[in-house]
Amino acid sequence: MNRVYNFGAGPAMLPTSVMERAQREFLDYNGMGASVIEISHRSKEFEALLTHTDELIREISGLPDDFEILYVHGSAQLQFSAVPHNLLDLNPAHKAAYLETGNFASLARKEASRFGNITVAATSESSNFDRIPDFDPATLDPDTSYVHLTSNNTIFGTRWNQFPDTGKIPLVADMTSELMSRRLDFNKFGLIFAGLQKNLGPSGMAAVLIRKELLGHALPNTPNLLNYETYAKNHSMPNTINTFAVYMMNLVLQWLKEQGGLPAMETLNAQKAKLIYDAIDNNDFYIGSAHPDHRSEMNVCFNLQDSTLDKKFLDEAQVRGLYALKGHRLVGGIRASIYNAMPMAGCQALVDFMQEFAQQNG
Amino acid sequence: MNRVYNFGAGPAMLPTSVMERAQREFLDYNGMGASVIEISHRSKEFEALLTHTDELIREISGLPDDFEILYVHGSAQLQFSAVPHNLLDLNPAHKAAYLETGNFASLARKEASRFGNITVAATSESSNFDRIPDFDPATLDPDTSYVHLTSNNTIFGTRWNQFPDTGKIPLVADMTSELMSRRLDFNKFGLIFAGLQKNLGPSGMAAVLIRKELLGHALPNTPNLLNYETYAKNHSMPNTINTFAVYMMNLVLQWLKEQGGLPAMETLNAQKAKLIYDAIDNNDFYIGSAHPDHRSEMNVCFNLQDSTLDKKFLDEAQVRGLYALKGHRLVGGIRASIYNAMPMAGCQALVDFMQEFAQQNG
């Protein structure tokens, strides 16, 4: 079997060694004679797996003790509802400020607007989200309950290089496409959430890192399993947790630790992205989508000068084992998603192909 | 590797042939060079898998066309919030009637009470939920938006053999531990939901079968991903679906069809349950928990006359490869969960052990 280099934006490729291990033990977890997906979430073996996952997250990311780790149902988008339900009541004004940097930031803002007084504190919509907008936290109303941003924008290929200092107003970050790919100063954040399906595992679950003091403020009409306190009080198991997602995340985190953790991963991710961005910048055949100062290291988006060649590019790439390079339907073009699990060799194979394709079609 | 007979209540054992197939193709789905958990939910291959799953559900269950099939985030308990949000507004009185037959029925009722005017239309709490209570639908207020029941009670080992005819008032059934284990007359139901982790797949997702005319009535404050219409309008993919859960469910349904579908499965399940219930009834050493008229065919609950022997029973069973027979912490004793995937041989092995254990310790 030949594994392709899968540049899909998510659900995305996972480390091959992780996938092979999961395959080996798929019918027999820990010598139990049953799969990890067939055992009770209340078994001591699963409880140990969950606790080990907590430990790996803290060890790898340096998450401080005043944050709780929650594993919650649904993917990141369910958190678009959960965040306002849990945080708007931090201030009786029920205000929140959203920083609009793309499609998912916008969806999050729209959902929150159904429950509180939401403002757009900054947006880059006028340049079709090709950059991160300027934002001065001093402009925030002091009675703002929280500020929301999307740290990396998968569709437009931008990211926040530096995070704003919002002082006493909690900063909420959707890090679905970045969590565990870069080091973070947790002092700047109140809440971070991420669907797993980019850097951390399969789809269907989200991880939430929440400052403990932010728990316990949910609006009275918050559905029980959208209330983060429900999870915090029950080690994320008020009911049956997504056991497979926890297991896969655990294996991915073990792998990440073996790779040298976030310092090594951050360096590698920068090198991988630079390789492709250089190939774009050094050849007029290609045009980068994002402003150079705000380029994502997870999703490299670009266009061919001659967009009528897009299909040919994608078809020939696929023949070479370079899979799922098509840009999002909102923007078209080409997108190479290069999460943690994409090896340097995959990026090199893409760059080699880009150069050949440009030569043959330029 | 020796697979145990796993009598856990859920996440539960899945058919070994399904697990072996999932293992074989874990790194390479459909010749794509990537795992089914690594490909986009928007890929044509995944869309085909989802559509095939719909078709299998309809073919196996006989679900009529006026029902929509939804695959929703979270397990069954998130539906305890979603159901009132989606259905209470069917009548301006915002009333619903709950039939209380155990722990999960009670949790569902409590969650719904936060959003509407909820009454307990019948309960068997006074006999510690050892039976299904009498219920006369004629006693319902005509302005009731819906009636809710739990079709099979995993903790107490009871089930509704016959479902009430609630006429024009939609009947909602939590069938987490029964869906696809027995034939159903869908004419009696407005909405059926089930977490997958008993008969259908891994934990982390629920299937919802909803009469189309019940869509579009969600309360204004319904979180977007709790609104069934959001799923219905987007073939259950308003956002990233739990791709692994859909895949496993698809394999389980294929297996179910090969076994002869619901007629064959219903017959086998009745035989499996009878084998164990007979072993209980024919030996004073054991006492069945549920009233004989309301016995579950999925969860056989019983006690040892001498409960001080429980631990010995469980330990010796485990040595024999009979795993996870401990009763729920709310009731203690022994529980043998025998979902579709438990073969007759597993039930026979349990009965053999029960007889030996009674002989040696009676």
Side-chain angles (χ1 to χ4, degrees):
Chain A
M1 192 244 355
N2 276 324
R3 295 264 293 172
V4 297
Y5 290 122
N6 175 2
F7 293 92
M13 74 179 287
L14 294 170
T16 299
S17 65
V18 163
M19 294 298 294
E20 286 170 347
R21 177 167 167 195
Q23 182 180 43
R24 268 198 312 278
E25 55 194 42
F26 192 67
L27 272 77
D28 186 15
Y29 178 68
N30 213 14
M32 295 174 77
S35 174
V36 71
I37 68 171
E38 296 176 308
I39 63 172
S40 173
H41 54 299
R42 309 280 179 210
S43 63
K44 65 179 191 302
E45 291 86 354
F46 188 81
E47 297 255 14
L49 179 72
L50 192 63
T51 298
H52 183 225
T53 310
D54 290 340
E55 290 163 0
L56 285 167
I57 290 175
R58 288 194 192 276
E59 182 183 350
I60 295 170
S61 73
L63 186 74
D65 285 343
D66 53 344
F67 277 77
E68 195 82 46
I69 302 169
L70 312 177
Y71 310 93
V72 302
H73 289 296
S75 52
Q77 278 200 45
L78 196 53
Q79 310 321 306
F80 295 177
S81 312
V83 164
H85 274 90
N86 281 273
L87 300 186
L88 275 173
D89 209 25
L90 288 170
N91 189 294
H94 287 193
K95 279 186 195 170
Y98 277 64
L99 301 169
E100 213 155 53
T101 54
N103 182 55
F104 293 107
S106 180
L107 287 175
R109 192 256 305 158
K110 282 176 195 157
E111 178 69 359
S113 298
R114 302 177 55 222
F115 308 107
N117 306 308
I118 310 300
T119 53
V120 176
T123 178
S124 51
E125 192 179 8
S126 63
S127 59
N128 198 27
F129 301 121
D130 71 339
R131 67 196 65 198
I132 300 297
D134 288 332
F135 166 59
D136 178 5
T139 60
L140 292 169
D141 290 343
D143 59 354
T144 302
S145 290
Y146 66 92
V147 181
H148 178 282
L149 62 74
T150 310
S151 75
N152 180 79
N153 300 282
T154 49
I155 295 177
F156 300 93
T158 64
R159 79 158 187 178
W160 289 82
N161 291 305
Q162 304 292 332
F163 293 102
D165 183 349
T166 56
K168 286 184 178 164
I169 303 174
L171 180 62
V172 174
D174 175 357
M175 291 204 177
T176 296
S177 46
E178 273 205 329
L179 188 63
M180 294 291 174
S181 74
R182 61 192 286 197
R183 282 177 289 188
L184 295 173
D185 174 5
F186 288 104
N187 290 319
K188 286 198 168 170
F189 299 94
L191 189 160
I192 291 168
F193 66 89
L196 301 194
Q197 72 274 11
K198 317 282 190 184
N199 275 306
L200 293 168
S203 59
M205 195 174 83
V208 173
L209 312 177
I210 183 170
R211 204 172 277 281
K212 287 176 182 170
E213 68 193 23
L214 298 181
L215 292 165
H217 300 279
L219 294 171
N221 67 352
T222 305
N224 187 40
L225 289 179
L226 262 64
N227 187 337
Y228 293 138
E229 204 180 15
T230 305
Y231 293 88
K233 282 183 174 169
N234 295 284
H235 197 195
S236 296
M237 301 206 288
N239 70 333
T240 313
I241 198 170
N242 183 334
T243 54
F244 180 70
V246 171
Y247 164 74
M248 290 303 297
M249 185 177 181
N250 181 284
L251 296 191
V252 169
L253 291 168
Q254 288 188 47
W255 170 86
L256 186 51
K257 186 178 159 185
E258 288 160 16
Q259 304 305 303
L262 291 189
M265 197 49 68
E266 199 174 68
T267 303
L268 180 63
N269 283 335
Q271 289 168 347
K272 282 155 50 185
K274 184 173 186 306
L275 188 70
I276 305 176
Y277 283 122
D278 282 351
I280 294 167
D281 292 341
N282 295 335
N283 195 329
D284 288 344
F285 193 85
Y286 300 107
I287 313 164
S289 308
H291 189 286
D293 291 347
H294 305 283
R295 282 172 161 174
S296 166
E297 293 188 349
M298 295 288 106
N299 312 93
V300 178
C301 298
F302 58 99
N303 288 282
L304 276 54
Q305 274 287 7
D306 177 359
S307 66
T308 64
L309 290 170
D310 282 7
K311 189 176 179 308
K312 190 176 183 205
F313 180 95
L314 295 168
D315 288 347
E316 292 186 15
Q318 181 139 356
V319 171
R320 296 268 283 255
L322 306 169
Y323 175 77
L325 281 159
K326 191 174 182 178
H328 191 276
R329 61 194 144 80
L330 287 179
V331 294
I334 312 295
R335 170 171 60 178
S337 296
I338 49 171
Y339 302 117
N340 288 350
M342 174 61 68
M344 180 62 90
C347 298
Q348 187 62 57
L350 172 61
V351 164
D352 292 346
F353 168 70
M354 286 169 67
Q355 285 165 351
E356 281 178 44
F357 188 85
Q359 255 178 347
Q360 286 163 11
N361 297 277
Chain B
M1 189 245 354
N2 276 324
R3 295 263 293 173
V4 296
Y5 290 123
N6 175 2
F7 293 91
M13 73 178 287
L14 294 170
T16 299
S17 65
V18 164
M19 295 298 294
E20 286 171 346
R21 176 168 168 193
Q23 181 180 44
R24 268 199 311 277
E25 55 192 42
F26 192 67
L27 271 78
D28 186 15
Y29 177 68
N30 212 14
M32 294 175 77
S35 173
V36 71
I37 68 171
E38 296 177 306
I39 62 170
S40 172
H41 54 300
R42 308 279 179 211
S43 62
K44 66 179 190 303
E45 291 85 354
F46 188 80
E47 298 254 15
L49 180 71
L50 192 63
T51 298
H52 183 224
T53 309
D54 291 340
E55 290 163 358
L56 284 167
I57 290 174
R58 288 194 192 274
E59 182 183 348
I60 295 170
S61 73
L63 186 73
D65 286 344
D66 52 343
F67 277 78
E68 195 83 46
I69 302 168
L70 311 176
Y71 309 92
V72 302
H73 289 295
S75 51
Q77 278 199 48
L78 195 53
Q79 309 323 305
F80 295 177
S81 311
V83 164
H85 275 88
N86 282 273
L87 299 187
L88 274 174
D89 210 24
L90 287 170
N91 189 296
H94 287 193
K95 279 187 194 168
Y98 277 64
L99 301 169
E100 212 155 55
T101 54
N103 183 56
F104 294 106
S106 179
L107 287 174
R109 193 256 306 158
K110 283 177 194 155
E111 179 67 1
S113 298
R114 301 177 55 224
F115 308 106
N117 306 309
I118 310 299
T119 53
V120 176
T123 177
S124 51
E125 192 178 9
S126 63
S127 60
N128 198 27
F129 300 120
D130 71 339
R131 67 195 67 198
I132 299 298
D134 288 331
F135 167 58
D136 177 5
T139 61
L140 293 170
D141 289 343
D143 59 353
T144 302
S145 290
Y146 66 92
V147 181
H148 178 283
L149 61 76
T150 311
S151 74
N152 180 80
N153 300 281
T154 49
I155 296 178
F156 300 94
T158 63
R159 80 158 187 178
W160 289 81
N161 292 305
Q162 304 292 332
F163 293 102
D165 183 348
T166 56
K168 286 183 177 163
I169 303 173
L171 180 63
V172 174
D174 175 357
M175 290 204 178
T176 295
S177 46
E178 273 204 329
L179 188 62
M180 293 292 172
S181 74
R182 63 191 284 197
R183 284 177 288 187
L184 294 173
D185 174 6
F186 288 103
N187 290 318
K188 286 197 169 173
F189 300 93
L191 190 159
I192 291 168
F193 66 89
L196 301 195
Q197 73 274 12
K198 317 284 190 182
N199 276 306
L200 293 169
S203 59
M205 194 174 83
V208 173
L209 312 177
I210 184 172
R211 204 172 279 280
K212 287 175 182 170
E213 68 192 24
L214 298 180
L215 292 164
H217 300 278
L219 294 171
N221 67 352
T222 304
N224 186 40
L225 289 179
L226 262 63
N227 187 337
Y228 294 137
E229 204 181 14
T230 305
Y231 293 88
K233 281 183 175 168
N234 295 284
H235 198 193
S236 295
M237 301 206 290
N239 71 332
T240 313
I241 198 171
N242 183 333
T243 52
F244 179 70
V246 171
Y247 165 73
M248 289 302 296
M249 186 177 180
N250 181 283
L251 297 190
V252 169
L253 290 169
Q254 288 188 47
W255 170 86
L256 186 50
K257 187 178 158 184
E258 287 159 18
Q259 304 306 302
L262 291 188
M265 196 49 70
E266 199 175 67
T267 303
L268 180 63
N269 284 334
Q271 289 168 347
K272 282 155 49 185
K274 183 172 188 304
L275 188 70
I276 306 176
Y277 283 122
D278 281 352
I280 294 166
D281 292 340
N282 295 336
N283 195 328
D284 287 345
F285 193 84
Y286 301 106
I287 313 165
S289 307
H291 188 288
D293 291 346
H294 304 283
R295 282 171 162 174
S296 167
E297 293 188 350
M298 295 287 107
N299 312 95
V300 178
C301 298
F302 58 99
N303 287 281
L304 275 54
Q305 273 289 3
D306 177 359
S307 67
T308 64
L309 290 171
D310 282 6
K311 190 177 177 308
K312 191 175 181 208
F313 181 95
L314 295 167
D315 289 348
E316 292 186 15
Q318 181 140 356
V319 171
R320 296 268 284 257
L322 307 169
Y323 175 76
L325 281 159
K326 193 174 181 178
H328 191 276
R329 60 193 145 81
L330 287 179
V331 293
I334 312 296
R335 170 172 57 179
S337 296
I338 49 171
Y339 302 117
N340 288 352
M342 174 61 68
M344 180 62 89
C347 298
Q348 187 62 56
L350 172 60
V351 163
D352 291 346
F353 168 70
M354 286 170 68
Q355 285 165 351
E356 281 179 45
F357 189 84
Q359 255 177 348
Q360 286 162 14
N361 297 276

